[in-house]
Amino acid sequence: MEKNIGEADDRPERAEPLSDTERDIIQDTWGHVYKNCDDVGVSVLIRFFINFPSAKQYFSQFQDLDDPEEMERSSQLRQHARRVMNAINSVVDNLHDPEKVSSVLALVGKAHALKHKVEPMYFKILSGVMLEVLSEDFPEFFTAEVQLVWTKLMAALYWHVTGAYTEAGWLQVSSSAV
């Protein structure tokens, strides 16, 4: 079991900034991924829901689907996969503009905190699943060095999203629900 993540005394003051080289690596590798964004997004969500079925509770349209092939055919799952990939694309496109990245992720965080009431730890889990899928599906681009850079980006995404949860009045960012 993980320790609680993101509680007031655990939260770093800011996300570790990416260097210019790291931004270039992310944008280059993302270019290859985003050409296949629909398939990649669906693969990520299917693995996420198979490995962490408790996450499906937030999706009334497909929470009862257990079979990966059924999930793949779900138009609602496909739409959500596209929204996830488009949000990441918006972040990657704007890595040179930290304020834009922050505002995109604040919107994502606030919507998930206030409207959807999603436990924030699912963002951390989803980012891990995404890194797994990208490494497996694009091994020629996702070398060990590139994976480290993407891990740093995902940590920054999580930091921004959980900051939005805190601003929205979410009292605790816990990982106890898995």
Side-chain angles (χ1 to χ4, degrees), residues 56-124:
K56 289 190 294 182
Q57 69 184 301
Y58 302 106
F59 298 92
S60 59
Q61 315 93 323
F62 50 85
Q63 67 185 11
D64 297 327
L65 300 180
D66 294 319
D67 177 44
E69 290 177 15
E70 281 183 81
M71 288 183 196
E72 195 170 350
R73 289 191 299 267
S74 165
S75 61
Q76 290 92 350
L77 186 141
R78 294 186 86 73
Q79 287 169 355
H80 194 69
R82 173 162 286 213
R83 281 194 296 273
V84 169
M85 296 301 280
N86 285 343
I88 294 171
N89 189 60
S90 184
V91 167
V92 171
D93 276 354
N94 290 288
L95 285 176
H96 62 281
D97 184 351
E99 286 185 24
K100 176 75 173 169
V101 168
S102 188
S103 71
V104 167
L105 295 173
L107 289 171
V108 169
K110 284 187 177 115
H112 284 79
L114 298 173
K115 184 177 176 191
H116 308 300
K117 311 267 191 264
V118 173
E119 281 280 342
M121 54 102 184
Y122 285 111
F123 283 95
K124 182 167 240 168

Side-chain angles (χ1 to χ4, degrees), residues 15-158:
E16 190 181 345
L18 295 168
S19 70
D20 290 344
T21 302
E22 289 169 331
R23 279 196 296 270
D24 290 345
I25 288 169
I26 288 167
Q27 288 174 328
D28 179 56
T29 51
W30 183 250
H32 299 288
V33 171
Y34 200 65
K35 289 178 200 163
N36 305 292
C37 75
D38 289 343
D39 291 338
V40 174
V42 169
S43 294
V44 167
L45 286 188
I46 288 173
R47 181 167 310 176
F48 178 57
F49 292 133
I50 294 295
N51 293 346
F52 302 93
S54 60
K56 289 190 294 182
Q57 69 184 301
Y58 302 106
F59 298 92
S60 59
Q61 315 93 323
F62 50 85
Q63 67 185 11
D64 297 327
L65 300 180
D66 294 319
D67 177 44
E69 290 177 15
E70 281 183 81
M71 288 183 196
E72 195 170 350
R73 289 191 299 267
S74 165
S75 61
Q76 290 92 350
L77 186 141
R78 294 186 86 73
Q79 287 169 355
H80 194 69
R82 173 162 286 213
R83 281 194 296 273
V84 169
M85 296 301 280
N86 285 343
I88 294 171
N89 189 60
S90 184
V91 167
V92 171
D93 276 354
N94 290 288
L95 285 176
H96 62 281
D97 184 351
E99 286 185 24
K100 176 75 173 169
V101 168
S102 188
S103 71
V104 167
L105 295 173
L107 289 171
V108 169
K110 284 187 177 115
H112 284 79
L114 298 173
K115 184 177 176 191
H116 308 300
K117 311 267 191 264
V118 173
E119 281 280 342
M121 54 102 184
Y122 285 111
F123 283 95
K124 182 167 240 168
I125 295 168
L126 181 62
S127 66
V129 170
M130 177 165 278
L131 291 174
E132 269 177 26
V133 170
L134 296 180
S135 299
E136 291 168 16
D137 288 2
F138 301 91
E140 66 277 25
F141 303 113
F142 280 80
T143 62
E145 176 196 8
V146 170
Q147 288 178 46
L148 285 174
V149 174
W150 273 89
T151 299
K152 187 174 172 180
L153 174 67
M154 291 301 181
L157 294 173
Y158 183 72

